[in-house]
Amino acid sequence: MKNIVLFGPPGAGKGTQSTNIIEKYALIHLSTGDLLRAEKAAGTELGLKAKEFMEKGDLVPDSVVIGMIENKVKANPDANGFVFDGFPRTIAQAEALDQTLQENGLSISKMIALEVDDDELIKRLLERGKVSNRPDDQNEEIIANRIKVYNAETAPVADFYKKQDKFTSVKGIGSIDDIFESLCKVIDQL
Ligand code: ADP
């Protein structure tokens, strides 16, 4: 079982690399951002609630995302493992994830952080905004808020896994293939 938290700021490349990882290692991709956008697109009550937060670049309340992840873990008892992308984003989420995994006889193998500096992130997000149709990618103020929220609330989640000796990082700048190779070197050792 390989249960990986792919970590890093908005625009670090978590979504792109998650897609590569799940294909190579036959894991299940759990992206809270994708799940929330799907709820929003379907017009569910949860989606409508999440929309307000997402469009400002704020975090959706912990209880909402924790519930979504719990359901997905429970719904996939035969999985080879999971790649958590965009989750956990707060210490409370990290604690809840540990608990949920434990209840299902599982645990996190590793958190792998993609390291990218702020200037590169802003550039990438604005580029993505031109094609993604994501309202939160199209406005520099919202992007700046997402990075601020990341630094304040999400960056400390790395310490949570450092304390458990489960943290490592790779350089997130370079070609997609080179970054994937760095990630595979870590994952192959799990
Ligand atoms: P990015 O990492 O590029 O910001 P995501 O798709 O991961 O993109 O997230 C988009 C938005 O969805 C976030 O700005 C936030 O509002 C919401 N979101 C996603 N995951 C979480 C989470 N784990 N906790 C709270 N809010 C979340």
Side-chain angles (χ1 to χ4, degrees):
M1 279 291 281
K2 295 182 199 284
N3 294 311
I4 297 160
V5 176
L6 195 57
F7 192 66
K14 301 185 296 290
T16 306
Q17 295 298 343
S18 293
T19 307
N20 288 339
I21 294 170
I22 56 153
E23 198 183 314
K24 175 161 179 180
Y25 297 95
L27 305 177
I28 291 179
H29 185 197
L30 293 184
S31 157
T32 39
D34 287 350
L35 293 170
L36 290 167
R37 278 184 290 276
E39 295 279 346
K40 198 180 109 182
T44 65
E45 200 181 320
L46 190 157
L48 291 175
K49 190 174 167 201
K51 180 172 182 264
E52 290 169 42
F53 296 92
M54 294 170 79
E55 288 186 352
K56 287 190 228 145
D58 288 333
L59 292 182
V60 172
D62 284 339
S63 57
V64 174
V65 287
I66 289 169
M68 272 184 350
I69 289 286
E70 269 176 9
N71 290 339
K72 290 287 175 188
V73 169
K74 284 194 192 123
N76 290 283
D78 299 325
N80 270 332
F82 298 95
V83 176
F84 297 95
D85 160 9
F87 182 91
R89 251 175 160 99
T90 63
I91 298 284
Q93 291 178 21
E95 286 169 347
L97 179 60
D98 267 4
Q99 167 111 32
T100 299
L101 291 176
Q102 201 185 356
E103 282 166 11
N104 291 275
L106 307 171
S107 64
I108 290 297
S109 318
K110 204 81 170 172
M111 165 182 269
I112 314 175
L114 289 168
E115 285 183 348
V116 180
D117 59 73
D118 284 4
D119 288 349
E120 172 74 14
L121 296 175
I122 294 168
K123 205 176 84 191
R124 286 187 192 176
L125 291 169
L126 286 170
E127 269 314 302
R128 189 171 76 186
K130 292 181 193 160
V131 291
S132 72
N133 274 333
R134 275 180 57 172
D136 59 344
D137 281 346
Q138 308 199 0
N139 170 314
E140 231 168 306
E141 253 172 71
I142 298 172
I143 290 176
N145 188 45
R146 284 157 64 198
I147 295 174
K148 192 180 107 199
V149 169
Y150 174 82
N151 287 325
E153 298 191 51
T154 305
V157 177
D159 294 329
F160 181 89
Y161 291 96
K162 280 179 192 164
K163 280 187 200 143
Q164 298 186 17
D165 233 355
K166 289 181 176 175
F167 177 87
T168 192
S169 65
V170 303
K171 204 173 86 176
I173 295 189
S175 76
I176 290 175
D177 288 349
D178 286 348
I179 297 165
F180 182 50
E181 208 178 299
S182 309
L183 290 168
C184 291
K185 278 190 193 141
V186 175
I187 298 169
D188 285 338
Q189 286 177 8
L190 299 176

